[in-house]
mmCIF file of all heavy atoms in Angstrom:
data_model
loop_
_atom_site.group_PDB
_atom_site.id
_atom_site.type_symbol
_atom_site.label_atom_id
_atom_site.label_comp_id
_atom_site.label_asym_id
_atom_site.label_seq_id
_atom_site.Cartn_x
_atom_site.Cartn_y
_atom_site.Cartn_z
ATOM 1 N N SER Z 170 -27.533 -75.085 -194.888
ATOM 2 C CA SER Z 170 -26.972 -75.320 -193.560
ATOM 3 C C SER Z 170 -25.867 -76.388 -193.595
ATOM 4 O O SER Z 170 -24.971 -76.375 -192.784
ATOM 5 C CB SER Z 170 -28.071 -75.732 -192.573
ATOM 6 O OG SER Z 170 -28.707 -76.884 -193.018
ATOM 7 N N LEU Z 171 -25.960 -77.252 -194.601
ATOM 8 C CA LEU Z 171 -24.907 -78.276 -194.753
ATOM 9 C C LEU Z 171 -23.613 -77.628 -195.203
ATOM 10 O O LEU Z 171 -22.525 -78.049 -194.817
ATOM 11 C CB LEU Z 171 -25.368 -79.334 -195.778
ATOM 12 C CG LEU Z 171 -24.615 -80.668 -195.791
ATOM 13 C CD1 LEU Z 171 -24.696 -81.336 -194.430
ATOM 14 C CD2 LEU Z 171 -25.192 -81.576 -196.867
ATOM 15 N N PHE Z 172 -23.749 -76.586 -196.027
ATOM 16 C CA PHE Z 172 -22.559 -75.897 -196.518
ATOM 17 C C PHE Z 172 -22.533 -74.459 -196.027
ATOM 18 O O PHE Z 172 -22.409 -73.521 -196.808
ATOM 19 C CB PHE Z 172 -22.516 -75.933 -198.065
ATOM 20 C CG PHE Z 172 -22.405 -77.325 -198.608
ATOM 21 C CD1 PHE Z 172 -23.505 -77.936 -199.154
ATOM 22 C CD2 PHE Z 172 -21.210 -78.012 -198.560
ATOM 23 C CE1 PHE Z 172 -23.418 -79.225 -199.668
ATOM 24 C CE2 PHE Z 172 -21.105 -79.304 -199.053
ATOM 25 C CZ PHE Z 172 -22.226 -79.907 -199.600
ATOM 26 N N ALA Z 173 -22.691 -74.257 -194.713
ATOM 27 C CA ALA Z 173 -22.729 -72.912 -194.156
ATOM 28 C C ALA Z 173 -21.320 -72.426 -193.885
ATOM 29 O O ALA Z 173 -20.452 -73.175 -193.440
ATOM 30 C CB ALA Z 173 -23.563 -72.918 -192.881
ATOM 31 N N GLY Z 174 -21.105 -71.110 -194.114
ATOM 32 C CA GLY Z 174 -19.792 -70.513 -193.925
ATOM 33 C C GLY Z 174 -19.496 -70.275 -192.469
ATOM 34 O O GLY Z 174 -20.225 -70.747 -191.638
ATOM 35 N N PRO Z 175 -18.458 -69.585 -192.080
ATOM 36 C CA PRO Z 175 -17.445 -68.982 -192.938
ATOM 37 C C PRO Z 175 -16.484 -70.044 -193.490
ATOM 38 O O PRO Z 175 -16.324 -71.086 -192.874
ATOM 39 C CB PRO Z 175 -16.696 -68.052 -191.981
ATOM 40 C CG PRO Z 175 -16.887 -68.671 -190.639
ATOM 41 C CD PRO Z 175 -18.258 -69.289 -190.661
ATOM 42 N N PRO Z 176 -15.861 -69.761 -194.643
ATOM 43 C CA PRO Z 176 -14.924 -70.735 -195.221
ATOM 44 C C PRO Z 176 -13.578 -70.723 -194.490
ATOM 45 O O PRO Z 176 -12.768 -69.820 -194.695
ATOM 46 C CB PRO Z 176 -14.753 -70.256 -196.677
ATOM 47 C CG PRO Z 176 -15.098 -68.811 -196.648
ATOM 48 C CD PRO Z 176 -16.023 -68.575 -195.506
ATOM 49 N N TYR Z 177 -13.370 -71.705 -193.621
ATOM 50 C CA TYR Z 177 -12.082 -71.794 -192.909
ATOM 51 C C TYR Z 177 -10.997 -72.419 -193.773
ATOM 52 O O TYR Z 177 -9.807 -72.256 -193.508
ATOM 53 C CB TYR Z 177 -12.208 -72.625 -191.659
ATOM 54 C CG TYR Z 177 -13.037 -72.031 -190.558
ATOM 55 C CD1 TYR Z 177 -14.299 -72.507 -190.287
ATOM 56 C CD2 TYR Z 177 -12.527 -70.976 -189.789
ATOM 57 C CE1 TYR Z 177 -15.064 -71.940 -189.262
ATOM 58 C CE2 TYR Z 177 -13.301 -70.433 -188.770
ATOM 59 C CZ TYR Z 177 -14.571 -70.922 -188.514
ATOM 60 O OH TYR Z 177 -15.312 -70.377 -187.513
ATOM 61 N N GLY Z 178 -11.416 -73.219 -194.735
ATOM 62 C CA GLY Z 178 -10.446 -74.050 -195.465
ATOM 63 C C GLY Z 178 -10.306 -75.398 -194.801
ATOM 64 O O GLY Z 178 -10.594 -76.424 -195.411
ATOM 65 N N ILE Z 179 -9.952 -75.420 -193.512
ATOM 66 C CA ILE Z 179 -9.873 -76.686 -192.806
ATOM 67 C C ILE Z 179 -11.279 -77.043 -192.291
ATOM 68 O O ILE Z 179 -12.152 -76.189 -192.208
ATOM 69 C CB ILE Z 179 -8.895 -76.599 -191.594
ATOM 70 C CG1 ILE Z 179 -9.284 -75.474 -190.673
ATOM 71 C CG2 ILE Z 179 -7.481 -76.435 -192.097
ATOM 72 C CD1 ILE Z 179 -8.458 -75.395 -189.432
ATOM 73 N N GLY Z 180 -11.491 -78.300 -191.960
ATOM 74 C CA GLY Z 180 -12.790 -78.716 -191.468
ATOM 75 C C GLY Z 180 -13.146 -80.110 -191.918
ATOM 76 O O GLY Z 180 -12.288 -80.854 -192.444
ATOM 77 N N LEU Z 181 -14.417 -80.507 -191.682
ATOM 78 C CA LEU Z 181 -14.837 -81.887 -191.951
ATOM 79 C C LEU Z 181 -14.685 -82.247 -193.422
ATOM 80 O O LEU Z 181 -14.164 -83.289 -193.767
ATOM 81 C CB LEU Z 181 -16.318 -82.065 -191.516
ATOM 82 C CG LEU Z 181 -16.592 -82.098 -190.034
ATOM 83 C CD1 LEU Z 181 -18.082 -82.112 -189.768
ATOM 84 C CD2 LEU Z 181 -15.937 -83.314 -189.378
ATOM 85 N N LEU Z 182 -15.144 -81.340 -194.318
ATOM 86 C CA LEU Z 182 -15.138 -81.687 -195.737
ATOM 87 C C LEU Z 182 -13.714 -81.823 -196.261
ATOM 88 O O LEU Z 182 -13.406 -82.735 -197.020
ATOM 89 C CB LEU Z 182 -15.904 -80.635 -196.561
ATOM 90 C CG LEU Z 182 -16.145 -81.065 -198.014
ATOM 91 C CD1 LEU Z 182 -17.096 -82.248 -198.101
ATOM 92 C CD2 LEU Z 182 -16.679 -79.912 -198.846
ATOM 93 N N THR Z 183 -12.842 -80.910 -195.835
ATOM 94 C CA THR Z 183 -11.450 -80.975 -196.281
ATOM 95 C C THR Z 183 -10.838 -82.319 -195.854
ATOM 96 O O THR Z 183 -10.145 -82.981 -196.620
ATOM 97 C CB THR Z 183 -10.639 -79.822 -195.661
ATOM 98 O OG1 THR Z 183 -11.363 -78.609 -195.859
ATOM 99 C CG2 THR Z 183 -9.301 -79.686 -196.320
ATOM 100 N N SER Z 184 -11.088 -82.700 -194.603
ATOM 101 C CA SER Z 184 -10.580 -83.977 -194.113
ATOM 102 C C SER Z 184 -11.118 -85.113 -194.951
ATOM 103 O O SER Z 184 -10.387 -86.048 -195.306
ATOM 104 C CB SER Z 184 -10.964 -84.201 -192.671
ATOM 105 O OG SER Z 184 -10.597 -83.104 -191.893
ATOM 106 N N SER Z 185 -12.436 -85.054 -195.258
ATOM 107 C CA SER Z 185 -13.025 -86.127 -196.060
ATOM 108 C C SER Z 185 -12.342 -86.245 -197.408
ATOM 109 O O SER Z 185 -12.087 -87.342 -197.885
ATOM 110 C CB SER Z 185 -14.522 -85.867 -196.272
ATOM 111 O OG SER Z 185 -15.158 -85.566 -195.074
ATOM 112 N N LEU Z 186 -12.078 -85.098 -198.036
ATOM 113 C CA LEU Z 186 -11.441 -85.118 -199.377
ATOM 114 C C LEU Z 186 -10.029 -85.707 -199.292
ATOM 115 O O LEU Z 186 -9.642 -86.541 -200.124
ATOM 116 C CB LEU Z 186 -11.380 -83.688 -199.946
ATOM 117 C CG LEU Z 186 -12.743 -83.147 -200.356
ATOM 118 C CD1 LEU Z 186 -12.646 -81.662 -200.726
ATOM 119 C CD2 LEU Z 186 -13.310 -83.926 -201.526
ATOM 120 N N ILE Z 187 -9.264 -85.311 -198.256
ATOM 121 C CA ILE Z 187 -7.921 -85.863 -198.098
ATOM 122 C C ILE Z 187 -8.014 -87.375 -197.856
ATOM 123 O O ILE Z 187 -7.240 -88.161 -198.444
ATOM 124 C CB ILE Z 187 -7.203 -85.201 -196.914
ATOM 125 C CG1 ILE Z 187 -7.038 -83.704 -197.182
ATOM 126 C CG2 ILE Z 187 -5.888 -85.877 -196.613
ATOM 127 C CD1 ILE Z 187 -5.752 -83.338 -197.843
ATOM 128 N N LEU Z 188 -8.961 -87.790 -197.007
ATOM 129 C CA LEU Z 188 -9.138 -89.218 -196.743
ATOM 130 C C LEU Z 188 -9.484 -89.969 -198.045
ATOM 131 O O LEU Z 188 -9.015 -91.081 -198.271
ATOM 132 C CB LEU Z 188 -10.212 -89.459 -195.703
ATOM 133 C CG LEU Z 188 -9.841 -89.212 -194.254
ATOM 134 C CD1 LEU Z 188 -11.028 -89.394 -193.354
ATOM 135 C CD2 LEU Z 188 -8.715 -90.143 -193.832
ATOM 136 N N ALA Z 189 -10.329 -89.339 -198.866
ATOM 137 C CA ALA Z 189 -10.710 -89.993 -200.112
ATOM 138 C C ALA Z 189 -9.466 -90.230 -200.977
ATOM 139 O O ALA Z 189 -9.315 -91.315 -201.537
ATOM 140 C CB ALA Z 189 -11.709 -89.111 -200.890
ATOM 141 N N ILE Z 190 -8.570 -89.249 -201.050
ATOM 142 C CA ILE Z 190 -7.335 -89.430 -201.817
ATOM 143 C C ILE Z 190 -6.548 -90.583 -201.244
ATOM 144 O O ILE Z 190 -5.949 -91.371 -201.946
ATOM 145 C CB ILE Z 190 -6.467 -88.162 -201.796
ATOM 146 C CG1 ILE Z 190 -7.267 -86.956 -202.259
ATOM 147 C CG2 ILE Z 190 -5.243 -88.323 -202.655
ATOM 148 C CD1 ILE Z 190 -6.537 -85.658 -202.107
ATOM 149 N N MET Z 191 -6.545 -90.674 -199.896
ATOM 150 C CA MET Z 191 -5.700 -91.688 -199.242
ATOM 151 C C MET Z 191 -6.223 -93.087 -199.408
ATOM 152 O O MET Z 191 -5.417 -94.047 -199.518
ATOM 153 C CB MET Z 191 -5.531 -91.366 -197.765
ATOM 154 C CG MET Z 191 -4.839 -90.035 -197.548
ATOM 155 S SD MET Z 191 -4.439 -89.766 -195.856
ATOM 156 C CE MET Z 191 -3.239 -91.051 -195.600
ATOM 157 N N VAL Z 192 -7.549 -93.310 -199.375
ATOM 158 C CA VAL Z 192 -8.054 -94.679 -199.473
ATOM 159 C C VAL Z 192 -8.222 -95.103 -200.932
ATOM 160 O O VAL Z 192 -8.353 -96.296 -201.205
ATOM 161 C CB VAL Z 192 -9.402 -94.852 -198.745
ATOM 162 C CG1 VAL Z 192 -9.221 -94.614 -197.258
ATOM 163 C CG2 VAL Z 192 -10.477 -93.981 -199.294
ATOM 164 N N LEU Z 193 -8.182 -94.128 -201.860
ATOM 165 C CA LEU Z 193 -8.352 -94.450 -203.270
ATOM 166 C C LEU Z 193 -7.423 -95.566 -203.768
ATOM 167 O O LEU Z 193 -7.895 -96.518 -204.401
ATOM 168 C CB LEU Z 193 -8.165 -93.179 -204.103
ATOM 169 C CG LEU Z 193 -8.419 -93.242 -205.594
ATOM 170 C CD1 LEU Z 193 -9.854 -93.661 -205.847
ATOM 171 C CD2 LEU Z 193 -8.152 -91.889 -206.223
ATOM 172 N N PRO Z 194 -6.119 -95.496 -203.477
ATOM 173 C CA PRO Z 194 -5.218 -96.550 -203.975
ATOM 174 C C PRO Z 194 -5.548 -97.934 -203.434
ATOM 175 O O PRO Z 194 -5.462 -98.926 -204.173
ATOM 176 C CB PRO Z 194 -3.823 -96.133 -203.477
ATOM 177 C CG PRO Z 194 -3.954 -94.736 -203.058
ATOM 178 C CD PRO Z 194 -5.380 -94.446 -202.762
ATOM 179 N N PHE Z 195 -6.001 -97.997 -202.168
ATOM 180 C CA PHE Z 195 -6.332 -99.315 -201.593
ATOM 181 C C PHE Z 195 -7.529 -99.904 -202.346
ATOM 182 O O PHE Z 195 -7.507 -101.064 -202.773
ATOM 183 C CB PHE Z 195 -6.693 -99.194 -200.105
ATOM 184 C CG PHE Z 195 -5.546 -98.802 -199.278
ATOM 185 C CD1 PHE Z 195 -5.416 -97.495 -198.833
ATOM 186 C CD2 PHE Z 195 -4.570 -99.708 -198.943
ATOM 187 C CE1 PHE Z 195 -4.347 -97.128 -198.067
ATOM 188 C CE2 PHE Z 195 -3.484 -99.343 -198.166
ATOM 189 C CZ PHE Z 195 -3.372 -98.048 -197.737
ATOM 190 N N ILE Z 196 -8.579 -99.102 -202.501
ATOM 191 C CA ILE Z 196 -9.780 -99.596 -203.192
ATOM 192 C C ILE Z 196 -9.429 -99.952 -204.630
ATOM 193 O O ILE Z 196 -9.838 -101.024 -205.112
ATOM 194 C CB ILE Z 196 -10.897 -98.524 -203.122
ATOM 195 C CG1 ILE Z 196 -11.304 -98.327 -201.667
ATOM 196 C CG2 ILE Z 196 -12.070 -98.922 -203.977
ATOM 197 C CD1 ILE Z 196 -12.323 -97.241 -201.444
ATOM 198 N N THR Z 197 -8.646 -99.110 -205.298
ATOM 199 C CA THR Z 197 -8.313 -99.370 -206.693
ATOM 200 C C THR Z 197 -7.543 -100.673 -206.842
ATOM 201 O O THR Z 197 -7.898 -101.532 -207.657
ATOM 202 C CB THR Z 197 -7.439 -98.224 -207.256
ATOM 203 O OG1 THR Z 197 -8.114 -97.002 -207.085
ATOM 204 C CG2 THR Z 197 -7.148 -98.460 -208.720
ATOM 205 N N SER Z 198 -6.496 -100.875 -206.012
ATOM 206 C CA SER Z 198 -5.661 -102.043 -206.263
ATOM 207 C C SER Z 198 -6.418 -103.329 -205.929
ATOM 208 O O SER Z 198 -6.241 -104.335 -206.625
ATOM 209 C CB SER Z 198 -4.332 -101.940 -205.514
ATOM 210 O OG SER Z 198 -4.549 -101.972 -204.132
ATOM 211 N N ILE Z 199 -7.245 -103.307 -204.889
ATOM 212 C CA ILE Z 199 -7.994 -104.530 -204.570
ATOM 213 C C ILE Z 199 -9.047 -104.792 -205.632
ATOM 214 O O ILE Z 199 -9.212 -105.934 -206.100
ATOM 215 C CB ILE Z 199 -8.644 -104.442 -203.186
ATOM 216 C CG1 ILE Z 199 -7.531 -104.501 -202.128
ATOM 217 C CG2 ILE Z 199 -9.638 -105.565 -202.964
ATOM 218 C CD1 ILE Z 199 -8.017 -104.468 -200.730
ATOM 219 N N THR Z 200 -9.753 -103.736 -206.071
ATOM 220 C CA THR Z 200 -10.757 -103.944 -207.125
ATOM 221 C C THR Z 200 -10.110 -104.499 -208.383
ATOM 222 O O THR Z 200 -10.625 -105.424 -209.028
ATOM 223 C CB THR Z 200 -11.461 -102.611 -207.426
ATOM 224 O OG1 THR Z 200 -11.893 -102.013 -206.218
ATOM 225 C CG2 THR Z 200 -12.673 -102.837 -208.306
ATOM 226 N N LYS Z 201 -8.934 -103.937 -208.734
ATOM 227 C CA LYS Z 201 -8.234 -104.430 -209.914
ATOM 228 C C LYS Z 201 -7.856 -105.906 -209.750
ATOM 229 O O LYS Z 201 -8.023 -106.706 -210.671
ATOM 230 C CB LYS Z 201 -6.985 -103.575 -210.122
ATOM 231 C CG LYS Z 201 -6.153 -103.940 -211.322
ATOM 232 C CD LYS Z 201 -4.992 -102.975 -211.400
ATOM 233 C CE LYS Z 201 -3.750 -103.555 -212.016
ATOM 234 N NZ LYS Z 201 -3.254 -104.787 -211.425
ATOM 235 N N ASP Z 202 -7.364 -106.246 -208.540
ATOM 236 C CA ASP Z 202 -6.985 -107.634 -208.289
ATOM 237 C C ASP Z 202 -8.162 -108.575 -208.446
ATOM 238 O O ASP Z 202 -8.052 -109.644 -209.046
ATOM 239 C CB ASP Z 202 -6.365 -107.799 -206.909
ATOM 240 C CG ASP Z 202 -4.954 -107.237 -206.859
ATOM 241 O OD1 ASP Z 202 -4.415 -106.952 -207.933
ATOM 242 O OD2 ASP Z 202 -4.408 -107.092 -205.753
ATOM 243 N N VAL Z 203 -9.327 -108.201 -207.872
ATOM 244 C CA VAL Z 203 -10.469 -109.124 -207.958
ATOM 245 C C VAL Z 203 -11.035 -109.118 -209.360
ATOM 246 O O VAL Z 203 -11.557 -110.130 -209.822
ATOM 247 C CB VAL Z 203 -11.587 -108.822 -206.904
ATOM 248 C CG1 VAL Z 203 -11.077 -109.011 -205.482
ATOM 249 C CG2 VAL Z 203 -12.193 -107.446 -207.091
ATOM 250 N N PHE Z 204 -10.934 -108.005 -210.105
ATOM 251 C CA PHE Z 204 -11.366 -108.005 -211.494
ATOM 252 C C PHE Z 204 -10.577 -109.019 -212.294
ATOM 253 O O PHE Z 204 -11.086 -109.666 -213.214
ATOM 254 C CB PHE Z 204 -11.189 -106.613 -212.135
ATOM 255 C CG PHE Z 204 -12.337 -105.680 -211.858
ATOM 256 C CD1 PHE Z 204 -13.398 -106.066 -211.036
ATOM 257 C CD2 PHE Z 204 -12.380 -104.419 -212.434
ATOM 258 C CE1 PHE Z 204 -14.454 -105.194 -210.774
ATOM 259 C CE2 PHE Z 204 -13.446 -103.542 -212.180
ATOM 260 C CZ PHE Z 204 -14.459 -103.943 -211.332
ATOM 261 N N ASP Z 205 -9.272 -109.161 -211.930
ATOM 262 C CA ASP Z 205 -8.411 -110.081 -212.666
ATOM 263 C C ASP Z 205 -8.769 -111.540 -212.401
ATOM 264 O O ASP Z 205 -8.310 -112.418 -213.107
ATOM 265 C CB ASP Z 205 -6.937 -109.850 -212.308
ATOM 266 C CG ASP Z 205 -6.389 -108.574 -212.932
ATOM 267 O OD1 ASP Z 205 -7.005 -108.117 -213.923
ATOM 268 O OD2 ASP Z 205 -5.380 -108.029 -212.456
ATOM 269 N N THR Z 206 -9.581 -111.779 -211.338
ATOM 270 C CA THR Z 206 -9.956 -113.168 -211.051
ATOM 271 C C THR Z 206 -11.119 -113.637 -211.908
ATOM 272 O O THR Z 206 -11.462 -114.819 -211.868
ATOM 273 C CB THR Z 206 -10.327 -113.363 -209.576
ATOM 274 O OG1 THR Z 206 -11.535 -112.640 -209.323
ATOM 275 C CG2 THR Z 206 -9.244 -112.890 -208.621
ATOM 276 N N VAL Z 207 -11.783 -112.730 -212.630
ATOM 277 C CA VAL Z 207 -12.910 -113.141 -213.453
ATOM 278 C C VAL Z 207 -12.390 -114.022 -214.607
ATOM 279 O O VAL Z 207 -11.488 -113.595 -215.322
ATOM 280 C CB VAL Z 207 -13.657 -111.911 -214.028
ATOM 281 C CG1 VAL Z 207 -14.836 -112.357 -214.885
ATOM 282 C CG2 VAL Z 207 -14.121 -111.014 -212.909
ATOM 283 N N PRO Z 208 -12.917 -115.249 -214.757
ATOM 284 C CA PRO Z 208 -12.432 -116.092 -215.839
ATOM 285 C C PRO Z 208 -12.664 -115.438 -217.184
ATOM 286 O O PRO Z 208 -13.730 -114.884 -217.439
ATOM 287 C CB PRO Z 208 -13.306 -117.346 -215.709
ATOM 288 C CG PRO Z 208 -13.831 -117.318 -214.315
ATOM 289 C CD PRO Z 208 -13.957 -115.883 -213.935
ATOM 290 N N ALA Z 209 -11.648 -115.513 -218.029
ATOM 291 C CA ALA Z 209 -11.733 -114.851 -219.339
ATOM 292 C C ALA Z 209 -12.917 -115.384 -220.146
ATOM 293 O O ALA Z 209 -13.577 -114.657 -220.878
ATOM 294 C CB ALA Z 209 -10.413 -115.055 -220.107
ATOM 295 N N VAL Z 210 -13.226 -116.699 -219.959
ATOM 296 C CA VAL Z 210 -14.318 -117.331 -220.710
ATOM 297 C C VAL Z 210 -15.633 -116.614 -220.477
ATOM 298 O O VAL Z 210 -16.428 -116.369 -221.392
ATOM 299 C CB VAL Z 210 -14.442 -118.810 -220.309
ATOM 300 C CG1 VAL Z 210 -15.605 -119.457 -221.014
ATOM 301 C CG2 VAL Z 210 -13.151 -119.552 -220.588
ATOM 302 N N LEU Z 211 -15.857 -116.211 -219.185
ATOM 303 C CA LEU Z 211 -17.118 -115.524 -218.857
ATOM 304 C C LEU Z 211 -17.235 -114.216 -219.647
ATOM 305 O O LEU Z 211 -18.280 -113.920 -220.239
ATOM 306 C CB LEU Z 211 -17.166 -115.225 -217.360
ATOM 307 C CG LEU Z 211 -17.638 -116.322 -216.437
ATOM 308 C CD1 LEU Z 211 -17.778 -115.791 -215.015
ATOM 309 C CD2 LEU Z 211 -18.984 -116.855 -216.905
ATOM 310 N N LYS Z 212 -16.159 -113.432 -219.633
ATOM 311 C CA LYS Z 212 -16.193 -112.136 -220.305
ATOM 312 C C LYS Z 212 -16.288 -112.340 -221.814
ATOM 313 O O LYS Z 212 -17.052 -111.643 -222.496
ATOM 314 C CB LYS Z 212 -14.933 -111.331 -219.942
ATOM 315 C CG LYS Z 212 -14.967 -110.844 -218.501
ATOM 316 C CD LYS Z 212 -14.092 -109.626 -218.285
ATOM 317 C CE LYS Z 212 -12.622 -109.949 -218.323
ATOM 318 N NZ LYS Z 212 -11.796 -108.846 -217.809
#
Side-chain angles (χ1 to χ4, degrees):
Chain Z
S170 59
L171 197 58
F172 297 104
Y177 290 107
I179 56 175
L181 289 173
L182 190 67
T183 313
S184 308
S185 310
L186 290 171
I187 297 270
L188 282 177
I190 306 174
M191 297 188 66
V192 297
L193 185 60
F195 294 102
I196 295 176
T197 304
S198 66
I199 290 181
T200 310
K201 182 178 149 306
D202 286 349
V203 296
F204 276 4
D205 286 340
T206 66
V207 180
V210 177
L211 277 186
K212 289 203 287 193

